[in-house]
Amino acid sequence: MSASSSSTANRPTSAVVLAAGEGIRLRPLTANRPKPMLPAGTRPILEHVLNALIDAGVDDIHLVVGYQANRVRSHFGSTYRSVPITYHTQDNQLGSGHALLQAREGPSDRFLLVNGDQIIDHRIVEAVSTAHTDTATLAVVEGPEAVDYGAVHLDGDTITELIEQPAGGEFRLFNAGVYAFTQEIFEVLETLSVERGELPLTDAIQLLIDEEEHAVGGVRTDHFWMDATHPWDLLSLSRELLARGWVDAQPTDTDIYVDESAHVHPDATLVGPVVLDSDVVIEAGAVVGPYAAIGASTTIGSGSVLSDVVIDTDTAIGPNTTATELVVGQGSEIGAALTVSGGPADVILDEEVYSNVDLGGVIADRVDVGGSATLEPGALIGPKATIGAGVVVRGRISGGSEVVR
Amino acid sequence: MCGIVGCIGRGDGTVDVLMDGLRSLEYRGYDSAGIALGPSMGVLRKSGELDALTEVVDANRPSGTYGIGHTRWSTHGPPTDSNAHPHTDENGRVAVVHNGIIENYTELKAELQETGITFTSDTDTEVVPHLIAQALKAGEDPETAFHNTVDRLEGSYAIAAIIDGSETIYAARQGSPLVVGVGDGCTYLASDVPAFVEHTRDVVFLEDGHRVVATTDGYTVLDEHREPVAVDVETVSYTAEATGKSGYDHYMLKEIHEQPTALRQCFSGRSDALAGTVTLEEIDSIPQPDAVQFVACGTSYHAALYGAAVLREMGIPADAYLASEYALSPPPLSLGTLVVGITQSGETADTLAALRDANSRGVSTLALTNTVNSTAARECDHAVYIRAGPEIGVAATKTFSSQLVGCNLLAEELVDGPRDLRALIESLRNLPDDVQSILDASTAETVAEEYGNSDAYFFIGRGTNVAVALEGALKCKEISYEHAEGFPAGELKHGPLALVTPETPVFAVVTGDDERAQKTLGNIKEVQARGAPVIAVTDGQSEAAEIADETLLIPETDDRAAPILANVQLQLFSYHLADALGRPIDKPRNLAKSVTVE
């Protein structure tokens, strides 16, 4: 009893969350909001991140906001689950180290640092905060993603090297982006300058590793950790969350979650796992699920058949739509009988080609789609675009444009 | 007006509790502030915003184990140090804070002056400490002296007093809000819950005539005959932090951005889109009224104008009255009339007076309010809540939007007969995203920059957009201090057109493309012919955008929802205009959030 209470007493209970970045590779979904506010299930990614922190005992949250900051502020306000939130603004997105520096006046003692756009099990946070002794401690995860996130060398519980761009397959351990720091990290960051438009946090950690007097701790963990880098990742993210029941609603059946204010026609069918948020309307004859996340105040028209979809808030899907592997943003109006038949697809994002992606299509915010349109696999429709009746959409349609047959 | 606080049982933390409490009540007034502490009977008070008092407190480091505090919005006497509360008797044995108006203070003052007492302020409040002191001198014990004094007061008041030699806070409520916070070994008193919600969420909502005697042993609530009464302790749900600025520069901007959430909350669970029906459970059983009279003040009055217009369109005779006029010049009403009071706080004195007048004439009353358990909600036969969440900015924004949705729900619930409401429900469900799309892309800031140096600003509209025009002008006046007027568009040529020049931009609210829109286009040309620049607030259905010099665009929607969207653009314009002028947007001069004096 005394041993465990003394160890918890020393654990950091403040956390800094980096939520200032747009997430360029998630365009066109990030036109109006930063990546942490994109849907994971029916809730913003950031809400899951804050849940993990609070479940791990954090009682003081500092959000670093930047790109479309008002979206974050107005969603969370001054408290989340009774935990006070303080906002710090990063006016220019100059990297994670620079972002953390914006919160210099935030936590007064040891603190945790997490990314606002990566979903983590609260036990990862607990592991890092329990292990934290010296200046810096970070969570280490094993997996093939090291190529994307930067590999680490771990000697016992000490990090001996950070490798930013490892050759494929060479390293198996990578940095999960969950840290615990003492105030010294700020002093280290202040000795560094922004170079090539960036001040990465890893530069500061590398400096600590190189110094004799500090040890950078590493904690191996195999708990759930997931990131969305590309638009199609939102589908797998939702699949994972639905499978785990990480949805903010009471199940009406084992894996069917329906908010009490939602209206489901008696002749509609829900196939679990599926989640319907507040005031969702499912019209007669619709079949929704498996793996469907339907956001607040969205309507699914009669006779529509949807599986493996993430439909965000305030959207209307017209009757007799058939869609799979589809992501739709906020406030879009989809006419009757849209067809989205799913991947695999070759998708070009940011001048890079991704082959064999499981993506039916992406429709961003406030898109207007006429009746009987079709999305070819991997189609991306930008915000406020207008798609005429009967149009077959291929590739990328830029925001605000009008496409007619 | 004003906000009062008190606390006993907190020992050395008393000063901090009082100062934090006043900070959260600043929305009720910020002309001057003060505190009085026992057992020393030390009083500190200062004109100006609370920061001025904070400096004095920091410099003097007063101590005390119980005390009272006050933040003032002037009614009797200018905001000076000597008019700041607490007020004391000549010997400093009694200190009193007061919110409201003591209507018989002139005769009480004259009577006291005859006995040789010198007054040091212009306030009505000062009679109270002198009366208590006089009673003490006559040999009464402190509690009896307090009761005997309160018995003599007429008007509306919430009063708290401390008396030398008695480790007690005495308080009374008559017509002005006062709540008790029940802590662990301590008791709080305040005009409103936020003053102590960070210490306790257990609250007693006092009723008129109630008096409170609070000591370190707890509190007793008495009625006006000094008999103890049983009261319910309710647990309130909101937290102190819910009222922070969340990183926004101003509460007003925060609340403008909260509108999508507020509107979603207001409408959630109150419709069935599949059946095309709207249900307000709170008033499910009310029969259809023969007529509806709305009573309200300020921004809420503009919501009332909108609500009355909606009901009239549905065939129910309905009118909106300014509450301050209604109580004193009541219109005729028949027994089948429903009187609806719209008040954000539920404490607006003028609106309460109008509702009480209606109540005394035997008709049903309904409060459309944002504040659960407010006086209006408790005194009316029915209450409908708009669920907008706390609003701190003095200039109402999100609560107006939610009031308009509330008016639609009210109208659809009250009026019998089968109707297919699916189109209306669809447009109300779309409101959160429609408002968000305006917040994402509004060019109101640019318009405010371009026209920021104008002589005056005019706002016109027809039908339900008249309410938007009036509200747009009121917002502009409140926070920018610039001259602004709103008119029904057709009225311009009957007089106000004389004010229109090239230096007076005209904001024309034109939604849809019906006859009203067409006629408003004519009015736009009318003012353009006089050289005035025109900013159209429009959904693009009519030709307004082509004719006007500037456009603030809103999404196309149902004509019931369009005024809510148009108003958001005007909120943003006024905000950016005031911000560019460096105005204290959350605390405009001479104003207070909820006006609890008539």
Side-chain angles (χ1 to χ4, degrees):
Chain A
M1 175 67 197
S2 62
S4 73
S5 69
S6 72
S7 74
T8 51
N10 286 327
R11 280 161 57 167
T13 57
S14 291
V16 175
V17 183
L18 305 183
E22 175 187 346
I24 290 168
R25 283 180 289 181
L26 280 151
R27 287 177 182 171
L29 289 166
T30 52
N32 299 306
R33 50 188 158 156
K35 179 178 165 190
M37 295 306 289
L38 292 178
T42 55
R43 296 300 158 132
I45 293 170
L46 185 53
E47 220 177 284
H48 296 281
V49 176
L50 299 195
N51 284 338
L53 292 173
I54 294 168
D55 292 345
V58 166
D59 59 10
D60 174 36
I61 292 175
H62 296 265
L63 283 181
V64 180
V65 292
Y67 177 74
Q68 300 286 8
N70 284 345
R71 275 302 187 87
V72 183
R73 293 186 180 122
S74 63
H75 183 85
F76 290 99
S78 303
T79 55
Y80 177 69
R81 287 174 54 186
S82 300
V83 172
I85 297 178
T86 309
Y87 293 88
H88 306 270
T89 307
Q90 184 190 23
D91 289 323
N92 300 305
Q93 276 70 71
L94 300 175
S96 50
H98 182 259
L100 175 56
L101 265 183
Q102 311 311 308
R104 183 140 182 36
E105 304 304 319
S108 54
D109 199 354
R110 305 201 293 163
F111 64 96
L112 295 155
L113 175 72
V114 298
N115 292 312
D117 57 3
Q118 285 171 346
I119 293 184
I120 43 176
D121 191 304
H122 69 95
R123 287 168 291 191
I124 301 182
V125 182
E126 278 168 3
V128 171
S129 86
T130 308
H132 186 225
T133 48
D134 204 351
T135 314
T137 305
L138 55 93
V140 173
V141 187
E142 189 170 350
E145 297 94 334
V147 180
D148 293 327
Y149 299 103
V152 299
H153 265 315
L154 191 63
D155 181 4
D157 52 10
T158 304
I159 305 277
T160 55
E161 198 183 354
L162 292 182
I163 304 110
E164 288 220 16
Q165 287 170 320
E170 194 179 336
F171 296 93
R172 301 275 300 156
L173 294 180
F174 67 95
N175 173 2
V178 179
Y179 307 87
F181 291 119
T182 59
Q183 292 283 312
E184 277 178 277
I185 189 70
F186 291 117
E187 289 156 33
V188 176
L189 280 168
E190 279 176 348
T191 64
L192 300 170
S193 54
V194 178
E195 281 172 38
R196 292 188 296 277
E198 235 186 287
L199 173 52
L201 183 61
T202 43
D203 283 8
I205 293 169
Q206 188 63 54
L207 211 68
L208 288 171
I209 292 172
D210 296 343
E211 280 178 8
E212 286 289 311
E213 61 266 35
H214 296 293
V216 174
V219 192
R220 286 277 295 267
T221 165
D222 53 6
H223 293 295
F224 180 65
W225 179 99
M226 201 165 179
D227 187 17
T229 310
H230 309 105
W232 50 89
D233 297 332
L234 293 176
L235 293 170
S236 40
L237 203 54
S238 281
R239 270 198 298 268
E240 280 291 338
L241 296 180
L242 276 166
R244 284 162 192 273
W246 287 10
V247 294
D248 189 16
Q250 289 298 314
T252 56
D253 199 339
T254 47
D255 57 357
I256 295 177
Y257 303 86
V258 181
D259 187 274
E260 60 180 5
S261 62
H263 286 94
V264 180
H265 194 281
D267 294 336
T269 308
L270 300 179
V271 184
V274 60
V275 56
L276 312 183
D277 204 352
S278 59
D279 298 285
V280 159
V281 175
I282 309 291
E283 293 181 358
V287 180
V288 181
Y291 298 107
I294 313 296
S297 302
T298 278
T299 301
I300 307 298
S302 57
S304 289
V305 179
L306 305 178
S307 63
D308 215 344
V309 293
V310 176
I311 318 279
D312 210 347
T313 57
D314 303 302
T315 279
I317 305 285
N320 300 318
T321 289
T322 307
T324 190
E325 295 175 356
L326 172 68
V327 179
V328 186
Q330 300 175 322
S332 282
E333 301 274 335
I334 314 292
L338 173 74
T339 304
V340 185
S341 39
D346 294 341
V347 186
I348 303 171
L349 275 184
D350 214 16
E351 297 182 1
E352 200 171 328
V353 183
Y354 298 83
S355 302
N356 278 323
V357 173
D358 291 328
L359 180 66
V362 173
I363 299 174
D365 298 343
R366 301 177 196 127
V367 174
D368 202 339
V369 180
S372 301
T374 302
L375 265 56
E376 293 276 282
L380 304 173
I381 304 177
K384 296 189 104 170
T386 306
I387 308 296
V391 169
V392 177
V393 181
R394 289 183 195 85
R396 186 178 197 116
I397 308 294
S398 37
S401 57
E402 200 169 335
V403 183
V404 291
R405 187 158 70 163
Chain B
M1 196 46 218
C2 323
I4 68 178
V5 295
C7 99
I8 185 163
R10 283 298 299 262
D12 291 341
T14 302
V15 173
D16 289 341
V17 171
L18 294 177
M19 292 302 290
D20 289 348
L22 291 178
R23 181 70 65 194
S24 62
L25 291 181
E26 264 191 303
Y27 73 89
R28 304 179 65 86
Y30 33 78
D31 288 345
S32 60
I35 55 173
L37 296 164
S40 66
M41 296 305 295
V43 173
L44 292 172
R45 50 190 194 160
K46 193 72 193 159
S47 63
E49 289 188 14
L50 191 57
D51 290 340
L53 178 66
T54 306
E55 276 178 32
V56 175
V57 167
D58 288 347
N60 288 275
R61 300 181 172 276
S63 66
T65 54
Y66 61 100
I68 53 178
H70 188 272
T71 178
R72 178 168 186 249
W73 185 77
S74 312
T75 54
H76 291 62
T80 58
D81 288 354
S82 60
N83 285 335
H85 297 220
H87 289 286
T88 57
D89 67 312
E90 288 182 312
N91 301 317
R93 290 196 59 209
V94 181
V96 173
V97 293
H98 161 223
N99 166 28
I101 292 177
I102 296 165
E103 284 170 359
N104 60 334
Y105 90 101
T106 27
E107 55 189 86
L108 293 172
K109 187 171 179 175
E111 177 193 313
L112 287 160
Q113 280 170 328
E114 264 173 40
T115 67
I117 287 168
T118 312
F119 278 71
T120 58
S121 80
D122 311 321
T123 65
D124 51 344
T125 307
E126 198 185 338
V127 298
V128 181
H130 291 307
L131 283 172
I132 294 174
Q134 206 174 44
L136 292 171
K137 214 192 245 170
E140 291 172 13
D141 65 84
E143 183 171 340
T144 308
F146 179 76
H147 285 304
N148 285 346
T149 298
V150 173
D151 287 348
R152 297 204 58 195
L153 305 178
E154 290 168 18
S156 70
Y157 49 80
I159 282 177
I162 57 174
I163 299 171
D164 189 22
S166 160
E167 195 180 358
T168 309
I169 299 176
Y170 303 94
R173 175 194 159 130
Q174 180 65 50
S176 295
L178 188 64
V179 291
V180 177
V182 185
D184 188 10
C186 52
T187 302
Y188 306 90
L189 281 163
S191 301
D192 199 357
V193 179
F196 54 67
V197 76
E198 64 178 297
H199 309 298
T200 180
R201 294 188 193 175
D202 295 331
V203 178
V204 176
F205 292 91
L206 297 175
E207 287 172 20
D208 283 350
H210 279 172
R211 296 171 190 181
V212 181
V213 177
T215 66
T216 48
D217 295 330
Y219 67 97
T220 313
V221 178
L222 307 167
D223 65 14
E224 50 207 326
H225 309 296
R226 308 175 194 185
E227 297 293 329
V229 288
V231 288
D232 294 331
V233 179
E234 297 175 37
T235 302
V236 296
S237 59
Y238 60 91
T239 62
E241 295 84 1
T243 53
K245 271 196 278 194
S246 316
Y248 285 95
D249 290 342
H250 298 98
Y251 280 112
M252 184 183 178
L253 188 62
K254 171 184 179 240
E255 286 154 6
I256 288 172
H257 279 268
E258 280 173 350
Q259 289 180 111
T261 305
L263 291 166
R264 202 184 294 286
Q265 284 168 184
C266 180
F267 195 58
S268 182
R270 286 170 161 178
S271 73
D272 182 343
L274 290 170
T277 55
V278 160
T279 312
L280 276 178
E281 273 174 22
E282 303 97 311
I283 57 164
D284 218 5
S285 56
I286 301 193
Q288 177 175 320
D290 299 336
V292 175
Q293 293 180 349
F294 286 93
V295 292
C297 310
T299 292
S300 296
Y301 172 69
H302 299 147
L305 287 172
Y306 170 93
V310 166
L311 277 165
R312 286 195 302 268
E313 279 175 16
M314 296 171 73
I316 305 289
D319 282 297
Y321 294 88
L322 289 162
S324 54
E325 291 293 313
Y326 188 95
L328 302 179
S329 317
L333 46 71
S334 61
L335 274 185
T337 302
L338 175 69
V339 176
V340 177
I342 306 184
T343 156
Q344 187 280 130
S345 64
E347 305 292 349
T348 311
D350 284 321
T351 308
L352 291 177
L355 288 168
R356 284 169 189 153
D357 174 81
N359 202 39
S360 73
R361 291 196 279 158
V363 299
S364 286
T365 53
L366 184 151
L368 183 66
T369 179
N370 194 29
T371 313
V372 176
N373 276 321
S374 56
T375 305
R378 284 180 289 122
E379 289 191 1
C380 286
D381 301 311
H382 311 280
V384 171
Y385 295 112
I386 60 169
R387 305 177 186 163
E391 186 176 70
I392 306 297
V394 168
T397 50
K398 65 174 178 176
T399 54
F400 178 70
S401 296
S402 296
Q403 284 170 347
L404 298 195
V405 171
C407 284
N408 277 294
L409 295 171
L410 193 64
E412 297 301 344
E413 177 67 61
L414 287 177
V415 180
D416 296 338
R419 292 183 296 280
D420 185 354
L421 300 178
R422 271 177 286 198
L424 176 68
I425 290 169
E426 198 50 37
S427 65
L428 295 178
R429 282 178 80 218
N430 282 339
L431 270 175
D433 187 66
D434 285 344
V435 170
Q436 187 64 57
S437 75
I438 295 169
L439 298 175
D440 287 344
S442 174
T443 54
E445 186 170 5
T446 323
V447 172
E449 276 166 21
E450 189 166 343
Y451 296 99
N453 288 315
S454 302
D455 292 345
Y457 303 85
F458 299 122
F459 299 78
I460 59 170
R462 286 174 185 257
T464 47
N465 287 333
V466 172
V468 179
L470 296 177
E471 174 60 10
L474 179 62
K475 220 45 43 190
C476 195
K477 289 176 212 185
E478 285 177 324
I479 58 166
S480 79
Y481 310 162
E482 295 294 287
H483 180 219
E485 299 292 343
F487 306 104
E491 272 298 293
L492 268 185
K493 58 186 176 292
H494 298 293
L497 196 55
L499 296 169
V500 170
T501 73
E503 301 307 319
T504 60
V506 176
F507 289 77
V509 183
V510 194
T511 56
D513 193 22
D514 58 4
E515 201 181 344
R516 283 174 294 207
Q518 288 304 319
K519 286 218 184 316
T520 310
L521 296 186
N523 302 124
I524 290 178
K525 289 174 183 153
E526 220 166 73
V527 299
Q528 280 180 324
R530 276 76 185 174
V534 172
I535 298 97
V537 184
T538 179
D539 52 12
Q541 292 193 65
S542 66
E543 284 172 1
E546 286 80 48
I547 300 172
D549 303 85
E550 301 275 353
T551 303
L552 293 171
L553 203 61
I554 63 170
E556 241 181 79
T557 182
D558 185 271
D559 54 2
R560 293 263 199 97
I564 300 171
L565 301 180
N567 181 61
V568 173
Q569 288 283 22
L570 297 181
Q571 290 171 350
L572 289 167
F573 167 76
S574 289
Y575 173 82
H576 289 297
L577 180 67
D579 194 35
L581 291 166
R583 306 295 189 219
I585 289 175
D586 285 331
K587 296 180 202 167
R589 68 186 177 203
N590 309 338
L591 300 181
K593 179 70 185 165
S594 66
V595 186
T596 55
V597 291
E598 286 175 42

PDB file of all heavy atoms in Angstrom, chain B residues 379-391:
ATOM      1  N   GLU B 379     -41.172  30.525 -11.168  1.00  0.00           N
ATOM      2  CA  GLU B 379     -42.425  31.258 -10.944  1.00  0.00           C
ATOM      3  C   GLU B 379     -43.463  31.011 -12.035  1.00  0.00           C
ATOM      4  O   GLU B 379     -44.651  31.169 -11.793  1.00  0.00           O
ATOM      5  CB  GLU B 379     -42.136  32.762 -10.833  1.00  0.00           C
ATOM      6  CG  GLU B 379     -41.432  33.101  -9.540  1.00  0.00           C
ATOM      7  CD  GLU B 379     -41.380  34.602  -9.285  1.00  0.00           C
ATOM      8  OE1 GLU B 379     -41.907  35.393 -10.100  1.00  0.00           O
ATOM      9  OE2 GLU B 379     -40.796  34.968  -8.269  1.00  0.00           O
ATOM     10  N   CYS B 380     -43.022  30.672 -13.227  1.00  0.00           N
ATOM     11  CA  CYS B 380     -43.988  30.468 -14.307  1.00  0.00           C
ATOM     12  C   CYS B 380     -44.642  29.096 -14.187  1.00  0.00           C
ATOM     13  O   CYS B 380     -44.116  28.187 -13.557  1.00  0.00           O
ATOM     14  CB  CYS B 380     -43.288  30.587 -15.669  1.00  0.00           C
ATOM     15  SG  CYS B 380     -42.880  32.278 -16.095  1.00  0.00           S
ATOM     16  N   ASP B 381     -45.801  28.962 -14.848  1.00  0.00           N
ATOM     17  CA  ASP B 381     -46.479  27.662 -14.840  1.00  0.00           C
ATOM     18  C   ASP B 381     -45.665  26.625 -15.602  1.00  0.00           C
ATOM     19  O   ASP B 381     -45.720  25.441 -15.293  1.00  0.00           O
ATOM     20  CB  ASP B 381     -47.866  27.799 -15.485  1.00  0.00           C
ATOM     21  CG  ASP B 381     -48.718  28.826 -14.749  1.00  0.00           C
ATOM     22  OD1 ASP B 381     -48.782  28.743 -13.507  1.00  0.00           O
ATOM     23  OD2 ASP B 381     -49.282  29.725 -15.404  1.00  0.00           O
ATOM     24  N   HIS B 382     -44.945  27.061 -16.614  1.00  0.00           N
ATOM     25  CA  HIS B 382     -44.171  26.131 -17.438  1.00  0.00           C
ATOM     26  C   HIS B 382     -42.802  26.733 -17.728  1.00  0.00           C
ATOM     27  O   HIS B 382     -42.656  27.949 -17.753  1.00  0.00           O
ATOM     28  CB  HIS B 382     -44.872  25.871 -18.781  1.00  0.00           C
ATOM     29  CG  HIS B 382     -46.319  25.535 -18.631  1.00  0.00           C
ATOM     30  ND1 HIS B 382     -46.757  24.288 -18.282  1.00  0.00           N
ATOM     31  CD2 HIS B 382     -47.419  26.309 -18.750  1.00  0.00           C
ATOM     32  CE1 HIS B 382     -48.077  24.285 -18.205  1.00  0.00           C
ATOM     33  NE2 HIS B 382     -48.504  25.500 -18.494  1.00  0.00           N
ATOM     34  N   ALA B 383     -41.831  25.870 -17.968  1.00  0.00           N
ATOM     35  CA  ALA B 383     -40.501  26.354 -18.341  1.00  0.00           C
ATOM     36  C   ALA B 383     -39.955  25.496 -19.476  1.00  0.00           C
ATOM     37  O   ALA B 383     -40.098  24.270 -19.463  1.00  0.00           O
ATOM     38  CB  ALA B 383     -39.548  26.295 -17.155  1.00  0.00           C
ATOM     39  N   VAL B 384     -39.381  26.159 -20.477  1.00  0.00           N
ATOM     40  CA  VAL B 384     -38.692  25.460 -21.559  1.00  0.00           C
ATOM     41  C   VAL B 384     -37.251  25.975 -21.561  1.00  0.00           C
ATOM     42  O   VAL B 384     -37.014  27.192 -21.553  1.00  0.00           O
ATOM     43  CB  VAL B 384     -39.367  25.722 -22.925  1.00  0.00           C
ATOM     44  CG1 VAL B 384     -38.508  25.160 -24.056  1.00  0.00           C
ATOM     45  CG2 VAL B 384     -40.757  25.125 -22.948  1.00  0.00           C
ATOM     46  N   TYR B 385     -36.309  25.032 -21.548  1.00  0.00           N
ATOM     47  CA  TYR B 385     -34.903  25.426 -21.483  1.00  0.00           C
ATOM     48  C   TYR B 385     -34.255  25.377 -22.867  1.00  0.00           C
ATOM     49  O   TYR B 385     -34.485  24.441 -23.633  1.00  0.00           O
ATOM     50  CB  TYR B 385     -34.143  24.508 -20.519  1.00  0.00           C
ATOM     51  CG  TYR B 385     -34.638  24.663 -19.106  1.00  0.00           C
ATOM     52  CD1 TYR B 385     -35.319  23.629 -18.461  1.00  0.00           C
ATOM     53  CD2 TYR B 385     -34.467  25.866 -18.427  1.00  0.00           C
ATOM     54  CE1 TYR B 385     -35.789  23.783 -17.159  1.00  0.00           C
ATOM     55  CE2 TYR B 385     -34.934  26.033 -17.142  1.00  0.00           C
ATOM     56  CZ  TYR B 385     -35.588  24.991 -16.504  1.00  0.00           C
ATOM     57  OH  TYR B 385     -36.055  25.160 -15.230  1.00  0.00           O
ATOM     58  N   ILE B 386     -33.420  26.388 -23.142  1.00  0.00           N
ATOM     59  CA  ILE B 386     -32.783  26.452 -24.461  1.00  0.00           C
ATOM     60  C   ILE B 386     -31.432  25.739 -24.478  1.00  0.00           C
ATOM     61  O   ILE B 386     -30.842  25.571 -25.546  1.00  0.00           O
ATOM     62  CB  ILE B 386     -32.618  27.909 -24.954  1.00  0.00           C
ATOM     63  CG1 ILE B 386     -31.758  28.721 -23.993  1.00  0.00           C
ATOM     64  CG2 ILE B 386     -33.979  28.562 -25.166  1.00  0.00           C
ATOM     65  CD1 ILE B 386     -31.350  30.083 -24.554  1.00  0.00           C
ATOM     66  N   ARG B 387     -30.920  25.328 -23.319  1.00  0.00           N
ATOM     67  CA  ARG B 387     -29.720  24.477 -23.197  1.00  0.00           C
ATOM     68  C   ARG B 387     -28.493  25.029 -23.929  1.00  0.00           C
ATOM     69  O   ARG B 387     -27.762  24.275 -24.577  1.00  0.00           O
ATOM     70  CB  ARG B 387     -29.992  23.086 -23.764  1.00  0.00           C
ATOM     71  CG  ARG B 387     -31.186  22.346 -23.202  1.00  0.00           C
ATOM     72  CD  ARG B 387     -31.282  21.044 -23.979  1.00  0.00           C
ATOM     73  NE  ARG B 387     -32.438  20.231 -23.698  1.00  0.00           N
ATOM     74  CZ  ARG B 387     -32.830  19.243 -24.510  1.00  0.00           C
ATOM     75  NH1 ARG B 387     -32.169  18.991 -25.628  1.00  0.00           N
ATOM     76  NH2 ARG B 387     -33.883  18.515 -24.213  1.00  0.00           N
ATOM     77  N   ALA B 388     -28.287  26.335 -23.869  1.00  0.00           N
ATOM     78  CA  ALA B 388     -27.154  26.914 -24.598  1.00  0.00           C
ATOM     79  C   ALA B 388     -25.858  26.818 -23.812  1.00  0.00           C
ATOM     80  O   ALA B 388     -24.785  27.077 -24.353  1.00  0.00           O
ATOM     81  CB  ALA B 388     -27.446  28.374 -24.948  1.00  0.00           C
ATOM     82  N   GLY B 389     -25.924  26.460 -22.526  1.00  0.00           N
ATOM     83  CA  GLY B 389     -24.723  26.464 -21.696  1.00  0.00           C
ATOM     84  C   GLY B 389     -24.454  27.865 -21.186  1.00  0.00           C
ATOM     85  O   GLY B 389     -25.051  28.830 -21.674  1.00  0.00           O
ATOM     86  N   PRO B 390     -23.530  27.999 -20.210  1.00  0.00           N
ATOM     87  CA  PRO B 390     -23.312  29.313 -19.609  1.00  0.00           C
ATOM     88  C   PRO B 390     -22.866  30.351 -20.630  1.00  0.00           C
ATOM     89  O   PRO B 390     -22.040  30.058 -21.487  1.00  0.00           O
ATOM     90  CB  PRO B 390     -22.205  29.064 -18.580  1.00  0.00           C
ATOM     91  CG  PRO B 390     -21.907  27.626 -18.575  1.00  0.00           C
ATOM     92  CD  PRO B 390     -22.682  26.949 -19.648  1.00  0.00           C
ATOM     93  N   GLU B 391     -23.424  31.538 -20.539  1.00  0.00           N
ATOM     94  CA  GLU B 391     -23.004  32.644 -21.413  1.00  0.00           C
ATOM     95  C   GLU B 391     -22.507  33.766 -20.513  1.00  0.00           C
ATOM     96  O   GLU B 391     -23.234  34.245 -19.648  1.00  0.00           O
ATOM     97  CB  GLU B 391     -24.175  33.130 -22.271  1.00  0.00           C
ATOM     98  CG  GLU B 391     -23.763  34.170 -23.302  1.00  0.00           C
ATOM     99  CD  GLU B 391     -24.930  34.554 -24.204  1.00  0.00           C
ATOM    100  OE1 GLU B 391     -25.863  35.215 -23.716  1.00  0.00           O
ATOM    101  OE2 GLU B 391     -24.911  34.178 -25.382  1.00  0.00           O
TER     102      GLU B 391
END
